[in-house]
Amino acid sequence: MSTTDTTLPSPAPTAPTGTTPPWRRPALVRWAIIMALILALEAATRTGLISPTLLVSPTEILTRLAHIVATAQFAQDAARTLTTILSAFGFGLGLGIPLGIILWRFPAAGRVLEPFIVTGYAMPTLLFYPVLLAAMGLNAGPIILIAATMSLIPIALTTMVALNSIKPILHKLANSVSASPTQYYLKVLLPAATPLVFPGLRLGFIYAVIGTIAMEFILAGQGIGFRAGFYYRELNTADMWAYITVVVVLSVLVNTLLTRAEKRIRRDML
């Protein structure tokens, strides 16, 4: 008696794990885009498609950057700018998280203050520089205060949203074990809210950089932003773009570090 062969066809071979094609790896694609952009700019500047008064070739920018980084002037400018950015971000972090907790802890206050905070988020705080200059004098204080305000608002709003998104079961769990207020905040709220607070921290740092560089570009007498504005007014395009490159590299570096820290914390929270 014949039998019917019911053997299923073998599946098509699949690529072993860890052999993702290069064009499907995000990091490689990003680097490819950057290199293509650099090569395009190099060709455009070398052939005259882009005026040298607007942009010089990337190789010339890198050459000038290597020369500038070795000078004492750059060290002083970098120290001034980094100190201002970190001070502004520190104030924004130290005040933004408690403000976000207050807005969450007291919903009535949150409903009253949130429109003002959102309005401040959208308003160009640089307009207040003349008033702060008259009150605080010609120093780094007004720049730090404005940059700190720009950093504080996204941190506060993100903290409030993160705390509001915590599952009610966690609050009940803390009450069921009679957790103290300190344990409640450190053992329950902080671990649960941290993954959602990190995007606000990244935005806060970005706004601290923007506020600092913008104020230095316009009104300061020292710093990376001031130096970029100085060379712009002097029509020294190569040195101007060298200092702009410093700002770009700093922003990308810090954003990368914060992104990795966020991923690490999210992984540890799972």
Side-chain angles (χ1 to χ4, degrees):
M1 184 174 64
S2 63
T3 58
T4 304
D5 187 7
T6 58
T7 304
L8 296 177
S10 59
T14 57
T17 305
T19 59
T20 305
W23 59 86
R24 299 185 64 180
R25 298 177 186 176
L28 293 178
V29 173
R30 284 194 293 266
W31 279 109
I33 293 174
I34 293 173
M35 294 304 299
L37 178 60
I38 292 174
L39 292 175
L41 292 176
E42 186 76 23
T45 52
R46 294 287 183 181
T47 57
L49 292 177
I50 298 178
S51 171
T53 59
L54 297 177
L55 178 67
V56 296
S57 65
T59 53
E60 185 176 352
I61 293 174
L62 293 177
T63 301
R64 292 301 306 157
L65 181 61
H67 173 76
I68 289 171
V69 168
T71 63
Q73 176 181 275
F74 175 80
Q76 295 173 357
D77 289 332
R80 171 66 178 269
T81 298
L82 288 175
T83 301
T84 303
I85 291 174
L86 293 177
S87 299
F89 181 63
F91 281 118
L93 181 64
L95 297 176
I97 289 182
L99 178 59
I101 294 174
I102 291 173
L103 295 176
W104 164 77
R105 186 67 180 80
F106 304 100
R111 287 191 295 269
V112 172
L113 296 177
E114 186 177 357
F116 295 102
I117 296 175
V118 174
T119 301
Y121 190 37
M123 184 172 55
T125 54
L126 301 178
L127 296 175
F128 295 101
Y129 183 81
V131 177
L132 296 175
L133 184 63
M136 304 178 67
L138 185 60
N139 51 53
I143 298 178
I144 292 176
L145 184 57
I146 289 176
T149 303
M150 296 174 64
S151 176
L152 178 152
I153 295 175
I155 293 175
L157 293 177
T158 308
T159 301
M160 180 186 68
V161 171
L163 292 173
N164 282 328
S165 65
I166 295 177
K167 297 179 180 179
I169 187 63
L170 295 178
H171 303 294
K172 296 178 180 179
L173 177 62
N175 292 329
S176 66
V177 297
S178 301
S180 66
T182 302
Q183 292 173 330
Y184 178 54
Y185 280 94
L186 295 182
K187 301 295 185 180
V188 178
L189 297 185
L190 181 61
T194 295
L196 296 179
V197 170
F198 250 90
L201 300 184
R202 292 167 59 188
L203 276 177
F205 183 83
I206 291 172
Y207 277 106
V209 173
I210 292 173
T212 298
I213 298 299
M215 296 301 297
E216 287 182 348
F217 187 91
I218 299 172
L219 297 164
Q222 191 178 17
I224 293 176
F226 161 76
R227 204 62 60 184
F230 173 80
Y231 287 124
Y232 166 77
R233 292 183 288 271
E234 292 289 319
L235 301 180
N236 188 338
T237 309
D239 287 1
M240 178 192 74
W241 277 102
Y243 275 93
I244 291 175
T245 302
V246 172
V247 177
V248 173
V249 171
L250 173 64
S251 301
V252 171
L253 177 62
V254 174
N255 184 68
T256 301
L257 293 176
L258 290 176
T259 300
R260 289 185 177 181
E262 178 184 356
K263 290 180 178 178
R264 176 66 179 271
I265 289 176
R266 286 179 180 272
R267 185 169 62 249
D268 292 344
M269 294 297 178
L270 294 178

